[in-house]
Amino acid sequence: MSTEPSSNARRARYARSQYRAQSHDAGHATEGDHPDDESGRAHHDLAPRGPASLVNTQEGLSELVSHLRQAGRFGYDSEFIGELTYTPKLCVIQVASAARVALIDPLVPGLELREFWELVADTAVEKIVHAGQQDIEPVFRNIGKPAANIFDTQIATGFIGMAYPVALGKLVQELVGVRLGKALTFSHWDQRPLSPMQLRYAADDVRYLPALRQEIGKRLEQTGHAAWAKAESEALCEPSQYLFNPKTYYQRVRGATSLPPQGLAVLRELTIWRDQIARKHDVPPRAYLKDEILLDLSRTPIKSVDRLGKVRGLPRPVEHESGADLVAATLRGLATPTKDLPASRTFEPSPVERFRVDALWAAAQVLCSGRSIDAALVTSRNEIGEFYRAVTSGEDLKSLNLSQGWRREALGEPLAKLMCGETRLGMRWADGRLSVLPE
C-alpha cells in the first residue's frame, strides 16, 4: 500500500504551512521591536552577553558539550516544526551556561547529535528549561534513554507564590528585569540561513534561564518547596509521556470521560487506528482526524461505510481512503467483551453534590494559595470532584492523583482531614498574601 500522504493530509499540511508563513512574515515585520541596546538593559551575572555562537560542526558540538558538562548546569530549549509531520522536525537547539550562549544547527547534513542527547540524559548535569516537555521528548526517541535532572522554570514558579503557567517573557521581566521581544513561535525555523532576528530571539529563549534558576531557587528555599518543584520538573522525564500506549492513549482525548464503557472501547480502537495511519502518512494524528470527530464516532458508532457520509466534519478524503478501516476499528470496539471494557468515569452529580464539590474546590484553592502554590499546578476541579466522591463513598484514595507524591502532602492529606472533620481552616491576609492558619 502506498505511503504517500493522502489528499486530505496534503491539504492540511498546506493550510498549516500557510499559517506558519503568515506568522513568520508578521513576526519579522516587527524586527525593530526588540531591545537591542545591551547598555540599556538590566544585567544579571548569570546571563551571558553578546550574540550566540553557531555550532554546525562535530568538533564544535563536542567542545560545546564538554563546556556544558563542566559548567554542571545550563539552559536548554529547542525550536521545531510540529504541525507538518508525525515526528516534529527539530530545527534549532539553544543552550546557555552562565558564560556563553550557543545555537546548534541539527539540520546540518551528517551532524550527529547523540553526544548532546547523552548530556541531556546525564544525571550529573542540571538542564534548565521553560515549559520543556516537548524539548525533552527527542532524548528518549533518539537514544532510548530518558532525560534526567531537569528543572522547569515554569513549573517551579507555581511553588513560589506566582501564577502557573507563566510565559517566559513575563517571568524574565519579573525576576531579572529584562524585557524580551515578541516570540517567534511560528517562524520558519527550518529555513537557512536563519535571519539575525531569529538568531537573536532563539538566543534570548535560553540566555536568562540560568539567572531565572538562581532567582527562583532563592524563593523556593524561602517557601520550603524546592524538593517538590524538583520532583514535578523531573516527572517530565518519564518516557511513558512520549510513547503511544494503545491501552491508554484514548484517555487523552478531551471529552472521553463522558463516554460509557462501550463508547470508550470504540474510542480506544479508533485512536489506535488513527495513530497507525498517521504514521503511514507522516502527519500528526490530530491533523489527520480531529479528536472531536473521534469522540462523535465513539458516542454514535458507525457500523457501515455507506453511513460515513452523514458524519459531520469527517473529511471526505478520509472517508474514501480509510472508511472501511475506520468502520472495522469501530466494530472491533463494539465487539469488546464485557470483562475487557474500559471503566467509565461518567458521573452526573446532583445539584447538592455539585455545590459541595465547588466548595471543596474553593477550600483546595485556599490551602494551595496559603502555601504559595498555584492550585492549577496541583489539581483541577474534576480531580477534586473525584476526590469528593471517593472520600464520601469510603473508597480507597490511593489511586487518586492527589494521593501521589508531593501532591499528597501538599493537598491530599490536608483536604481529607478537612472533609473528615479532623481539622479546620483559618485564613489571614497579611503583607499582601494569603496565609492559612492551623486550628
Side-chain angles (χ1 to χ4, degrees):
M1 183 179 292
S2 172
T3 59
E4 286 297 310
S6 67
S7 58
N8 178 60
R10 287 194 297 268
R11 248 193 321 272
R13 276 179 170 164
Y14 176 76
R16 293 190 295 278
S17 181
Q18 287 294 99
Y19 174 75
R20 181 173 287 273
Q22 293 168 3
S23 299
H24 176 91
D25 293 342
H28 282 69
T30 59
E31 185 153 359
D33 188 33
H34 188 284
D36 282 317
D37 184 7
E38 288 286 344
S39 64
R41 302 172 69 180
H43 183 63
H44 193 286
D45 291 342
L46 298 183
R49 296 183 183 229
S53 61
L54 293 177
V55 177
N56 50 23
T57 67
Q58 207 65 53
E59 295 75 17
L61 179 62
S62 296
E63 186 277 328
L64 176 62
V65 168
S66 177
H67 165 75
L68 297 174
R69 180 168 276 114
Q70 186 173 8
R73 169 185 290 170
F74 66 92
Y76 162 51
D77 189 26
S78 64
E79 305 295 344
F80 51 87
I81 297 177
E83 73 270 17
L84 300 178
T85 54
Y86 184 87
T87 300
K89 182 180 182 181
L90 182 62
C91 301
V92 183
I93 297 173
Q94 306 108 285
V95 295
S97 67
R100 61 189 283 197
V101 57
L103 307 180
I104 303 168
D105 187 354
L107 299 184
V108 172
L111 185 64
E112 173 54 58
L113 297 175
R114 185 176 183 90
E115 59 185 317
F116 179 76
W117 300 132
E118 292 283 358
L119 177 66
V120 183
D122 189 341
T123 59
V125 181
E126 183 180 72
K127 280 69 60 174
I128 312 162
V129 299
H130 183 85
Q133 186 174 43
Q134 290 179 300
D135 306 302
I136 293 170
E137 182 273 334
V139 183
F140 186 80
R141 172 162 45 85
N142 281 285
I143 64 173
K145 298 178 184 178
N149 199 353
I150 295 293
F151 183 92
D152 193 307
T153 57
Q154 185 181 76
I155 288 174
T157 54
F159 289 97
I160 59 172
M162 296 180 68
Y164 170 86
V166 61
L168 177 64
K170 291 184 177 180
L171 190 58
V172 170
Q173 188 166 2
E174 175 80 16
L175 298 184
V176 186
V178 173
R179 181 177 67 86
L180 300 183
K182 184 179 179 181
L184 292 179
T185 304
F186 286 99
S187 186
H188 278 302
W189 292 107
D190 57 341
Q191 292 185 357
R192 295 295 183 271
L194 294 170
S195 72
M197 185 180 185
Q198 287 175 308
L199 296 173
R200 189 170 61 228
Y201 279 95
D204 279 357
D205 273 350
V206 292
R207 188 186 305 275
Y208 300 97
L209 288 179
L212 284 179
R213 172 66 176 93
Q214 183 183 75
E215 298 304 320
I216 293 171
K218 294 176 184 176
R219 290 162 173 78
L220 285 172
E221 292 302 324
Q222 293 171 359
T223 62
H225 299 154
W228 291 356
K230 191 66 172 173
E232 188 66 8
S233 292
E234 294 191 346
L236 297 176
C237 302
E238 174 53 50
S240 63
Q241 296 186 62
Y242 310 109
L243 299 174
F244 178 81
N245 186 334
K247 295 180 180 180
T248 61
Y249 193 86
Y250 70 95
Q251 297 171 356
R252 300 187 185 185
V253 175
R254 187 171 183 177
T257 54
S258 66
L259 295 173
Q262 190 172 68
L264 289 174
V266 172
L267 181 63
R268 181 171 58 191
E269 294 298 328
L270 287 176
T271 54
I272 294 172
W273 160 77
R274 183 181 66 175
D275 185 76
Q276 292 171 342
I277 197 165
R279 283 178 188 265
K280 184 180 73 173
H281 290 309
D282 192 25
V283 294
R286 289 181 174 88
Y288 186 81
L289 196 60
K290 295 179 180 179
D291 281 358
E292 306 89 88
I293 299 174
L294 289 189
L295 197 64
D296 288 343
L297 289 169
S298 303
R299 188 174 288 115
T300 308
I302 301 298
K303 302 177 183 179
S304 61
V305 174
D306 60 352
R307 296 189 61 82
L308 287 174
K310 300 182 181 298
V311 178
R312 183 178 180 181
L314 179 66
R316 297 289 77 90
V318 172
E319 176 190 346
H320 296 150
E321 297 166 12
S322 307
D325 292 334
L326 188 158
V327 170
T330 300
L331 295 176
R332 285 196 299 274
L334 293 173
T336 302
T338 302
K339 64 180 180 64
D340 296 328
L341 289 174
S344 175
R345 296 169 64 187
T346 303
F347 177 80
E348 186 60 38
S350 68
V352 170
E353 289 171 325
R354 184 180 298 276
F355 181 86
R356 290 176 178 174
V357 169
D358 285 342
L360 191 62
W361 171 231
Q365 291 174 300
V366 167
L367 282 165
C368 290
S369 297
R371 305 190 74 167
S372 298
I373 305 174
D374 192 308
L377 180 63
V378 186
T379 188
S380 66
R381 191 205 174 282
N382 285 340
E383 285 187 353
I384 292 298
E386 293 179 2
F387 189 84
Y388 169 83
R389 290 188 287 275
V391 172
T392 54
S393 62
E395 296 177 15
D396 191 347
L397 306 180
K398 292 181 180 179
S399 63
L400 298 180
N401 196 38
L402 281 177
S403 297
Q404 311 302 315
W406 65 268
R407 286 179 171 82
R408 177 177 56 81
E409 183 180 352
L411 183 60
E413 287 183 348
L415 208 57
K417 290 180 178 179
L418 181 67
M419 290 186 68
C420 296
E422 298 177 16
T423 186
R424 294 186 298 174
L425 278 183
M427 295 181 289
R428 181 179 65 185
W429 187 271
D431 300 323
R433 61 181 295 270
L434 179 70
S435 298
V436 175
L437 309 175
E439 291 191 9

